[in-house]
Amino acid sequence: MQEPLLGAEGPDYDTFPEKSSPSPGERTRVLMGEDRSVGCPHMSALHPFLQSVFTLGSAAGGLSAMVLNDLLGRKLSIMFSAVPSAAGYALMAGAHGFWMLLLGRTLTGFAGGLTAACIPVYVSEIATPGVRGALGATPQLMAVFGSLSLYALGLLLPWRWLAVAGEGPVLVMILLLSFMPNSPRFLLSRGRDAEALRALAWLRGADTDIRWEFEQIQDNVRRQSTRMSWAEARNPHTYRPILIALVMRFLQQLMGITPVLVYLQPIFESTAVLLPPKDDAAIVGAVRLFSVLIAALTMDLAGRKVLLFISATIMFAANLTLGLYVHFGPKPLTPNSTVGLESVPLGGTGQPLATPSSYLTLVPLVATMLFIMGYAMGWGPITWLLMSEILPLQARGVASGLCVLVSWLTAFALTKSFLLVVNAFGLHVPFFFFAAICLASLVFTSCCVPETKGRSLEQIESFFRTGRRSFLH
């Protein structure tokens, strides 16, 4: 976008050139850049740009979590994230220039990256094995619900008031966390045994016998009471779970979830679809919310690996279908004019034009719904949960931040390269690549990922320390 961001001076600054006149709700969603799950009705160059600075801010948040997670503890690190989050929303609400929007988005991204590293660790360390899966999926569930809520609010509120509304969840988070205890494992690692015992008793309830669990945690913490040395970092029981967590975060992004969500509506506009692209994007967002809910309800019953297999299989089929449809299917009736996807070759000049009544044009919507469903019920929430479950206590704070850093840097690189690949080789090529990554993830899950359902964090750590292939030995 070459023209200035801010046009007319008024109560709501125009965020588009004069030649474009989106509605207030449309302007909201492009400006805020928050809604990755349902897409913007008028995707302009502004949305990917704001998404890029958000992604880089998230990577910086993951980098800071490598220090803060162990310095402040899990709970205080999450509470600290409220500072950049509140500042970011305030900057966007009172923006008088494009730089304020960029800085606001960067700060909210920083807060998002910090919480992405700290919340899964905190949840896994306070939850019992029987409900850890369901609680571990809750952050993803709330993130999707928040995206849909922003989409709905964007239809009603000017964009400045939408930024003000973003301060509400931050205040609620601070209020609720003030009643929560610190992680007992973190407290024990700092020598605060009495406080750790009280925290565990509060978490488990007054009538629960916590002596055995406390002793198990205490013994594990004592074995890792010193800072990790380079020699310890080279031990398989240390680097193997860290590598598994890193590769899972890397593969999760390479499956294409971020570029698909960022460019969801332009993808629909570049293919022949039966419903309006805006409606398709909203439907996909609702499917994502439903699918994460399924994962939360079944993760502790079916197990992590089963859902990972099902998830990757569904995503493989969806990506392959999208690639084949784009390459061989009908063209859209009107060419797309957004974010550079207008130059996408859709398979040759001999393709038939789609008609609004053709049921074949439901394929992109159904395939995308399956892709989002597959991701949301497996590789979306489970990779975050497994990261916090398998990382050794001694390296959990640093390694979780490293995982978030790798994840967001991969998302940034993939989002930036997506349009380049599309314009150079065609829209079908990324989908074929994503399908290949899904196959690779199936192999990786089968060979490297342990099943952690129903196991305590101490049992999982012992599994890696002893080198056993199964918990049953």
Side-chain angles (χ1 to χ4, degrees):
M1 179 179 292
Q2 301 298 324
E3 301 179 50
L5 167 72
L6 300 178
E9 295 287 337
D12 295 312
Y13 296 120
D14 190 1
T15 59
F16 286 83
E18 290 184 3
K19 65 183 180 180
S20 176
S21 57
S23 68
E26 293 165 350
R27 193 163 59 241
T28 298
R29 292 185 291 278
V30 175
L31 173 66
M32 298 301 293
E34 288 284 344
D35 190 14
R36 293 195 306 145
S37 68
V38 291
C40 308
H42 276 270
M43 179 76 74
S44 72
L46 182 60
H47 178 271
F49 195 52
L50 287 176
Q51 183 57 41
S52 295
V53 297
F54 181 88
T55 303
L56 290 178
S58 299
L63 188 63
S64 70
M66 297 174 66
V67 177
L68 295 178
N69 230 340
D70 288 327
L71 182 65
L72 300 179
R74 291 59 158 135
K75 172 190 168 182
L76 289 182
S77 294
I78 299 170
M79 297 180 75
F80 174 78
S81 71
V83 176
S85 182
Y89 282 120
L91 277 170
M92 288 189 285
H96 293 285
F98 192 36
W99 70 270
M100 296 181 73
L101 296 176
L102 292 180
L103 181 57
R105 280 295 286 163
T106 303
L107 287 173
T108 55
F110 179 90
L114 180 58
T115 55
C118 300
I119 289 178
V121 173
Y122 181 67
V123 170
S124 69
E125 289 188 347
I126 67 173
T128 59
V131 298
R132 197 170 58 233
L135 291 179
T138 302
Q140 279 281 312
L141 184 65
M142 293 297 101
V144 177
F145 178 76
S147 294
L148 286 173
S149 299
L150 279 172
Y151 187 87
L153 285 174
L155 299 174
L156 304 173
L157 298 176
W159 61 266
R160 291 188 186 277
W161 284 107
L162 187 60
V164 173
E167 304 281 8
V170 177
L171 296 176
V172 172
M173 179 188 74
I174 291 293
L175 177 64
L176 295 180
L177 272 177
S178 64
F179 295 101
M180 293 291 294
N182 280 296
S183 160
R185 289 170 174 84
F186 170 76
L187 293 173
L188 283 170
S189 70
R190 292 297 179 266
R192 296 151 64 179
D193 292 24
E195 189 176 349
L197 183 62
R198 290 195 299 271
L200 189 62
W202 188 93
L203 290 166
R204 300 296 180 258
D207 298 329
T208 305
D209 186 359
I210 61 171
R211 288 176 297 177
W212 182 85
E213 182 181 4
F214 184 77
E215 290 172 0
Q216 292 290 311
I217 298 173
Q218 197 173 42
D219 290 343
N220 189 48
V221 171
R222 284 173 179 168
R223 284 197 299 266
Q224 306 180 58
S225 58
T226 59
R227 284 188 174 272
M228 182 180 297
S229 64
W230 177 244
E232 289 175 315
R234 289 182 294 175
N235 286 333
H237 75 264
T238 300
Y239 72 74
R240 186 178 165 216
I242 295 175
L243 279 179
I244 291 174
L246 286 172
V247 173
M248 289 193 73
R249 301 300 307 148
F250 186 60
L251 287 175
Q252 184 211 47
Q253 290 297 333
L254 286 184
M255 288 176 176
I257 185 62
T258 299
V260 167
L261 292 179
V262 169
Y263 299 112
L264 183 60
Q265 186 174 329
I267 289 172
F268 283 150
E269 291 172 344
S270 298
T271 56
V273 290
L274 182 62
L275 299 176
K278 181 175 67 173
D279 295 343
D280 286 342
I283 292 172
V284 168
V287 168
R288 187 181 176 202
L289 178 64
F290 177 72
S291 302
V292 177
L293 184 60
I294 292 176
L297 295 175
T298 60
M299 203 179 298
D300 288 316
L301 299 175
R304 283 59 156 160
K305 290 189 71 168
V306 171
L307 289 179
L308 287 175
F309 281 128
I310 295 174
S311 171
T313 302
I314 293 174
M315 285 192 289
F316 166 75
N319 278 316
L320 184 62
T321 301
L322 281 169
L324 292 173
Y325 180 86
V326 170
H327 193 54
F328 298 108
K331 293 181 179 180
L333 287 173
T334 57
N336 175 43
S337 60
T338 56
V339 257
L341 289 180
E342 67 275 8
S343 60
V344 176
L346 294 178
T349 57
Q351 292 171 297
L353 291 176
T355 60
S357 60
S358 173
Y359 288 104
L360 184 63
T361 57
L362 279 173
V363 170
L365 174 60
V366 173
T368 306
M369 287 171 59
L370 286 174
F371 174 75
I372 299 297
M373 179 183 295
Y375 171 83
M377 67 183 297
W379 277 83
I382 293 179
T383 51
W384 292 109
L385 174 64
L386 274 171
M387 175 194 77
S388 61
E389 287 183 323
I390 67 176
L391 292 176
L393 176 63
Q394 203 170 10
R396 193 170 293 154
V398 174
S400 62
L402 181 61
C403 287
V404 172
L405 176 65
V406 168
S407 178
W408 284 110
L409 287 180
T410 305
F412 175 78
L414 198 61
T415 304
K416 282 299 183 183
S417 61
F418 181 79
L419 291 182
L420 298 176
V421 173
V422 166
N423 291 324
F425 303 104
L427 184 57
H428 59 287
V429 172
F431 290 121
F432 289 147
F433 172 76
F434 299 152
I437 295 298
C438 290
L439 288 179
S441 70
L442 285 170
V443 176
F444 178 78
T445 302
S446 177
C447 299
C448 303
V449 178
E451 177 56 71
T452 58
K453 180 188 73 170
R455 306 294 174 179
S456 69
L457 298 184
E458 286 66 42
Q459 287 176 313
I460 297 170
E461 213 166 318
S462 176
F463 165 78
F464 283 104
R465 187 179 298 109
T466 59
R468 293 173 178 172
R469 296 181 59 85
S470 170
F471 287 106
L472 300 178
H473 287 84

